[in-house]
Amino acid sequence: MSGLERAAAIFEAFDVTHRELSLAGLVARCGLPRSTVYRAAERMAGLGWLDKFGNRYRIGSRLFEIASLAPIRLQLREAVLPFLHDLHNATMTTVQLGVLEGDRILVVEKISGHRPMPMLSQTGGVVPVYCSALGRAILAYSGRETVDAVLDSTMPQRTPRTLTSKTAILRELAAVPARGWASEREEGNVGVSCVAAPIFGPLGDVVAAVSVSGPSALVRADRIAPAVCMAAAASSRAYFAAAPRVDSVPR
């Protein structure tokens, strides 16, 4: 295993429920020899990739600085952030921006305000595609190969309301383009509902989705969907304006 592969294994030991790990925890979660993990973790701490306090490790701030340079965060986030704030001000509940990564949605930005929803993923966290409004808003405009790759994989029943039938989810996706928004009602978390709309790039392809999530009694599609669609449309225009034109890219 190369040094990069060892570093990757250590990074993958961390997740939303394991934000800090001891050396023993790292060894248990990445499956490498203790001496290997120790040498790699100490070197990564010296580079700022990990922070070490006492006998515990966590992801370092240098990694956050590097990640912030990724185009999906730098260009997309900066272009749409004002509209996320507008949407949060209009709905007064949690707003999220997500992009598709394989069979998961990566939460690129989240605005909670004074009504946090601790069961929802934080910025940098992931949510399943099949049972999230963010995922459905993106899948509805994705190619069949992408849709099949997601819906042919394992789809666990997260709550009593979770749709796990490919046919049922395809029916949900088919309804999205006509109305412009996707929804899920307590499929990911009991008591929490979500409405999302797609964000499109300069070539007309779906690049992300924006959503409003909150208590089911407050997040109702008939009330929330118009504001979500308006924010998504404004975000698409802003991202289109911010994206570099093909004829301006250096050759």
Side-chain angles (χ1 to χ4, degrees), residues 91-141:
T91 61
M92 298 307 294
T93 190
T94 300
V95 172
Q96 295 185 106
L97 175 68
V99 297
L100 181 66
E101 283 206 346
D103 61 351
R104 306 180 301 176
I105 292 294
L106 172 66
V107 178
V108 178
E109 186 59 78
K110 176 182 177 182
I111 302 173
S112 296
H114 297 291
R115 187 183 289 164
M117 302 291 292
M119 70 287 293
L120 299 180
S121 289
Q122 303 300 311
T123 300
V126 294
V127 295
V129 176
Y130 68 97
C131 64
S132 67
L134 285 170
R136 291 175 183 173
I138 294 175
L139 278 192
Y141 297 90

Side-chain angles (χ1 to χ4, degrees), residues 62-244:
R62 177 57 182 154
L63 203 63
F64 177 81
E65 294 172 8
I66 295 172
S68 68
L69 300 176
I72 197 64
R73 287 190 62 90
L74 186 63
Q75 296 175 3
L76 177 63
R77 180 182 175 278
E78 287 187 357
V80 309
L81 190 57
F83 306 104
L84 301 185
H85 283 292
D86 289 345
L87 183 58
H88 177 261
N89 291 335
T91 61
M92 298 307 294
T93 190
T94 300
V95 172
Q96 295 185 106
L97 175 68
V99 297
L100 181 66
E101 283 206 346
D103 61 351
R104 306 180 301 176
I105 292 294
L106 172 66
V107 178
V108 178
E109 186 59 78
K110 176 182 177 182
I111 302 173
S112 296
H114 297 291
R115 187 183 289 164
M117 302 291 292
M119 70 287 293
L120 299 180
S121 289
Q122 303 300 311
T123 300
V126 294
V127 295
V129 176
Y130 68 97
C131 64
S132 67
L134 285 170
R136 291 175 183 173
I138 294 175
L139 278 192
Y141 297 90
S142 299
R144 188 57 190 248
E145 183 177 341
T146 299
V147 174
D148 287 341
V150 171
L151 301 187
D152 287 340
S153 60
T154 302
M155 297 188 290
Q157 184 94 26
R158 292 171 61 93
T159 77
R161 292 177 175 266
T162 307
L163 295 181
T164 58
S165 160
K166 181 176 181 179
T167 300
I169 297 174
L170 285 173
R171 190 179 302 119
E172 288 288 313
L173 298 183
V176 173
R179 66 193 184 196
W181 50 268
S183 67
E184 61 88 2
R185 193 161 185 83
E186 302 188 17
E187 293 188 49
N189 295 281
V190 174
V192 178
S193 294
C194 183
V195 177
I199 297 173
F200 298 98
L203 300 179
D205 54 327
V206 63
V207 296
V210 59
S211 72
V212 168
S213 302
S216 295
L218 298 177
V219 179
R220 293 174 48 183
D222 58 339
R223 298 179 180 177
I224 295 292
V228 176
C229 290
M230 186 179 299
S235 296
S236 296
R237 291 192 295 270
Y239 184 54
F240 179 87

